[in-house]
Amino acid sequence: MSVITIVGITLGVLIAVCVTWLGIPGTFLIAVAALIWGGLTDFHLITIGVILVLFGVSILLEITELLLGGLAARYCGASRRSAVCSIIGGILGTIIGAGVLFLIGAFAGLLAGSYLGAFLSEAMSGKSISVSNQAALGTVLGNVAGKGIKSTAVIFMGIWIYIIVTP
């Protein structure tokens, strides 16, 4: 195993972890890198099956991250409507944030949009500011947990690729 391969995998994983926190799906970056690597090596070590697993895991992690904000809001006392509003707010916040400030804006937009979606929904339903705030903070914590889970998965995906390509 060459040092270049080890450094390349390590660097790729570090970049994927960092961009995950900036709103870019790092799990998909790992899957695409594996697809390219597999294609360049005629799918000798990194097979189509491995690539399909990586893309499948990436899709499941994106769905998990999306739903975690809403589930955390529900856990912190938000209504079902507020949980849905937090998810919609997170999506809109990510899009708007990415348009305003490319990388960090997506993450900031996700947190702000999720918070505002849950907070405004709770406040408009007549709940107090403190109850609305608690539900909204739960949403933000859920989003941060989702990013943490995805970052951990990126590291494990990198380790799995390393194990596959080392003799």
Side-chain angles (χ1 to χ4, degrees), residues 45-137:
L45 295 173
I46 299 179
T47 64
I48 297 292
V50 169
I51 292 165
L52 290 174
V53 167
L54 291 173
F55 275 105
V57 167
S58 297
I59 291 168
L60 286 174
L61 287 166
E62 289 300 316
I63 293 169
T64 300
E65 180 189 16
L66 182 66
L67 295 177
L68 251 161
L71 291 173
R74 287 283 293 152
Y75 180 76
C76 289
S79 65
R80 197 172 284 173
R81 182 184 85 177
S82 294
V84 170
C85 287
S86 74
I87 293 170
I88 294 169
I91 293 169
L92 291 174
T94 300
I95 293 167
I96 293 168
V100 172
L101 194 61
F102 177 61
L103 291 176
I104 196 78
F107 180 63
L110 168 72
L111 297 180
S114 296
Y115 179 89
L116 287 173
F119 182 83
L120 292 174
S121 177
E122 289 293 304
M124 288 176 15
S125 69
K127 294 193 178 164
S128 71
I129 289 178
S130 81
V131 170
S132 300
N133 187 49
Q134 180 181 352
L137 286 176

Side-chain angles (χ1 to χ4, degrees), residues 8 10 12 16-17 24 28 36 43 46 50 61 64 71 78 82 98 102 120 140-142 150 154 162 167:
T10 304
V17 167
I24 299 169
F28 280 106
I36 292 169
F43 300 101
I46 299 179
V50 169
L61 287 166
T64 300
L71 291 173
S82 294
F102 177 61
L120 292 174
V140 171
L141 291 175
K150 280 177 53 179
V154 165
Y162 175 78

